Amino acid sequence: MHARFTPKAHRFAYRIFLFAIDLDELGALSRRLRLFSVGRRNVYAFRESDYLPTHEPIFNGRTRPGPRGPRAEGDTPASGLKARIVAHLATHGVDLTDGRVLLVTLPRVFGYLFNPVSFYFCYDRTGAPVAALAEITNTFREMKLYVLGPETRTPAPAGHREARKTGEAGGSEEGAIFRLRLPKHFYVSPFSDVDVAFDFRLRTPGKTLAIQIDDYAGSSRTLTSTLTGQREPLSDRRLAWFTLKYPLITLKVISLIHWHAFLLWLKHVPWFAKAARAADQQELYRPHASLTPAAGKPTVAPAGTTPLLPDA
């Protein structure tokens, strides 16, 4: 569901389905399922290179001195997705060694990929949730990562049906929430300026999924987006049914984005050009040519530095 409050009200909701994949089980899933493959074509195809390109140059990366440099060990083009996650979180002081990563996303559907946002829920070796990542992609195929570390985590509310103890040595609670507000510095929609703030509220998945991302201009909430659903088993039978129920789902998502952009334009909602305020579009991967018209290449964090996220 998306609801815009200002300057004109606009709301819509639609049904989709998403994959929740334990990255350690990718190989087993590819062998078990006929409709899902890893690294090769299928109805649903997962490519690790489609995600988390932390080994690539970063555009407008503000930096600060750091002992490990912009890349940690394992963060290379040849490394797997989980290795890149572990390396990236290490630069934020999070140790995910022997931990688990659950990725909530849409893979390629009949070869076509578009994810407005993918979520990584990261658990340490005891099963405790220690971080969450939101990987946001705009229609220009630019990508930006937002890291919610251990300091942003709060326990599940008392009485919440997902709240239960897991892991060793007391573990933690399912349903824990990662909460963070910070400037987005990213061009997500032509109808939202790049300097508004994202307010993330990401609940670790259990039997249900409950995610909310709000936009704030100062203290005013201008937009809310929610993603909710029930967990279903991942099987060929379920995938076959969802393929009929939600045909060409990635095309549906991007088509709805453009359709509702047209409706907002009809409502005379002010819009912002992609090339405007390029300096305020920071820490993003795979920048569009409109941001680098002169050099044609993204800037790169210098050696001996670590990328710094915008201040909260």
Side-chain angles (χ1 to χ4, degrees):
M1 184 276 295
H2 300 270
R4 182 178 294 271
F5 308 115
T6 183
K8 299 286 183 67
H10 186 77
R11 183 186 185 279
F12 65 98
Y14 57 93
R15 295 181 63 85
I16 62 170
F17 75 98
L18 297 168
F19 286 65
I21 301 172
D22 186 325
L23 294 184
D24 290 330
E25 298 178 354
L26 279 173
L29 289 175
S30 186
R31 291 187 296 269
R32 178 170 65 85
L33 299 171
R34 296 181 180 180
L35 299 180
F36 175 84
S37 296
V38 177
R40 59 184 179 85
R41 294 181 180 180
N42 205 330
V43 177
Y44 301 97
F46 186 91
R47 296 183 188 174
E48 295 188 81
S49 60
D50 289 334
Y51 298 90
L52 208 81
T54 51
H55 54 283
E56 297 181 9
I58 189 170
F59 177 82
N60 271 357
R62 294 189 297 152
T63 60
R64 64 182 175 192
R68 305 191 66 172
R71 296 180 189 168
E73 183 179 355
D75 193 5
T76 68
S79 62
L81 176 57
K82 186 177 179 183
R84 296 198 299 273
I85 295 168
V86 171
H88 189 66
L89 286 179
T91 67
H92 291 267
V94 179
D95 183 6
L96 204 64
T97 305
D98 299 324
R100 172 175 171 258
V101 177
L102 185 71
L103 170 58
V104 178
T105 189
L106 272 176
R108 292 176 178 267
V109 181
F110 292 103
Y112 183 77
L113 175 73
F114 183 70
N115 271 306
V117 59
S118 296
F119 300 97
Y120 303 80
F121 294 93
C122 305
Y123 305 81
D124 66 15
R125 58 170 58 91
T126 71
V130 292
L133 287 77
E135 179 184 84
I136 297 181
T137 302
N138 61 22
T139 55
F140 293 90
R141 307 292 175 163
E142 297 172 327
M143 186 181 293
K144 181 167 180 175
L145 306 176
Y146 297 87
V147 177
L148 288 74
E151 72 282 358
T152 70
R153 176 186 170 274
T154 58
H160 189 271
R161 64 178 178 174
E162 296 291 350
R164 64 181 180 86
K165 295 294 182 180
T166 61
E168 300 172 0
S172 63
E173 293 180 340
E174 285 189 358
I177 297 171
F178 290 91
R179 181 76 182 269
L180 179 65
R181 185 183 300 185
L182 75 172
K184 69 175 183 177
H185 292 314
F186 189 40
Y187 189 88
V188 178
S189 165
F191 302 100
S192 295
D193 210 347
V194 298
D195 62 350
V196 303
F198 273 146
D199 191 311
F200 292 97
R201 183 182 175 91
L202 312 181
R203 188 186 302 277
T204 54
K207 294 180 180 179
T208 61
L209 184 69
I211 287 172
Q212 181 172 333
I213 305 175
D214 295 337
D215 283 22
Y216 277 84
S219 60
S220 300
R221 188 171 68 148
T222 59
L223 175 71
T224 186
S225 301
T226 62
L227 184 62
T228 59
Q230 301 290 324
R231 184 175 64 188
E232 299 285 354
L234 182 54
S235 64
D236 276 319
R237 181 177 181 181
R238 181 69 58 179
L239 287 179
W241 167 237
F242 280 172
T243 303
L244 295 174
K245 188 176 181 180
Y246 310 102
L248 302 175
I249 189 169
T250 48
L251 282 173
K252 173 185 176 181
V253 170
I254 199 166
S255 298
L256 283 170
I257 288 173
H258 285 91
W259 171 246
H260 285 280
F262 175 67
L263 295 179
L264 289 171
W265 178 78
L266 289 180
K267 291 183 177 182
H268 302 289
V269 175
W271 65 278
F272 305 88
K274 174 76 176 88
R277 300 181 60 180
D280 293 324
Q281 299 175 52
Q282 301 171 2
E283 302 272 336
L284 57 96
Y285 296 95
R286 302 173 180 175
H288 186 257
S290 62
L291 294 182
T292 55
K297 296 181 180 180
T299 59
V300 183
T305 60
T306 303
L308 173 65
L309 284 175
D311 297 330

